[in-house]
Amino acid sequence: MERRRTRRVRLAAGAAVVLALLFAGAATVASARGDGSGEESGSTRVPAASSADAGFARDMAVHHQQAVEMSFVVRDRTDDEDVRRLAYDIANTQANQRGMLLGWLDLWELPKVAPGGEPPMAWMEGGGRHAHGGHHSDGDGSGSGDGVLMPGMASRSELARLGRLDGEQAEVFFLQLMTDHHKGGVAMAEACASQCSVPAERRLAQGMVEGQRSELGLMRDMLAERGATPRS
């Protein structure tokens, strides 16, 4: 019973973080547009298509989209209140952030695909090779070519498997997939926080780091309650 109460407190705290991010969204977009007061006001400089700012916006929008999709899948595969609430928070937060990232690309009049066929994460120092939370095979022979575009993203085979599971099996696999996903996302956001030149985007990236690290701890505890652990 005490464990359930502790988990509910942590979920409530997570929901507060989500609301703070949502309220910050309008101010973040305004500052990127240069409409607000402060350090960005009056600035008309637009990032280059090959910049870290544009690369992060493109890649994280794709990364976030898969997290939203996985959250909707598990919502329909379990009746567990806590997992469904976590999935709802992740879907809402990352859909909101994805909208801001794509909105910036529109404001900057930059393409939503990498120029010249650049691979994902080419904007990162080291090309993303240092990122944590890379792809794991799910035992059916799937590999990095199975639709995995960036570290942490689930493969097509893993997404299909999640859609076939029910109950606690679906909960555990979702939490494991999302743990990997968050680790990859944190590495990308940390790179933007240090490499991006638009202050509003750096702040959003740092917020992603803090929010997803908090959710990583929550998901580790939720896995332990189900007798499972994150994938190595």
Side-chain angles (χ1 to χ4, degrees), residues 140-161:
D140 61 359
S142 62
S144 59
D146 190 17
V148 179
L149 300 177
M150 286 168 271
M153 291 188 71
S155 68
R156 286 187 292 264
S157 299
E158 288 169 328
L159 292 174
R161 178 185 171 193

Side-chain angles (χ1 to χ4, degrees), residues 37-62:
S37 61
E39 57 191 327
E40 296 90 3
S41 183
S43 174
T44 58
R45 190 182 67 79
V46 172
S50 59
S51 66
D53 300 88
F56 175 74
R58 287 191 301 263
D59 289 350
M60 190 57 86
V62 174

Side-chain angles (χ1 to χ4, degrees), residues 49 54-62 98-115 118:
F56 175 74
R58 287 191 301 263
D59 289 350
M60 190 57 86
V62 174
R98 182 174 185 270
M100 286 190 282
L101 295 167
L102 294 176
W104 284 338
L105 291 172
D106 285 337
L107 284 171
W108 299 332
E109 297 183 355
L110 294 178
K112 295 181 176 66
V113 295
E118 278 187 0

Side-chain angles (χ1 to χ4, degrees), residues 4 6 54 78 82 108 115 128 140 183-184 209 219 229:
R4 298 277 301 182
T6 300
T78 179
D82 293 327
W108 299 332
D140 61 359
K183 288 178 180 178
V209 171
M219 291 190 289
T229 59

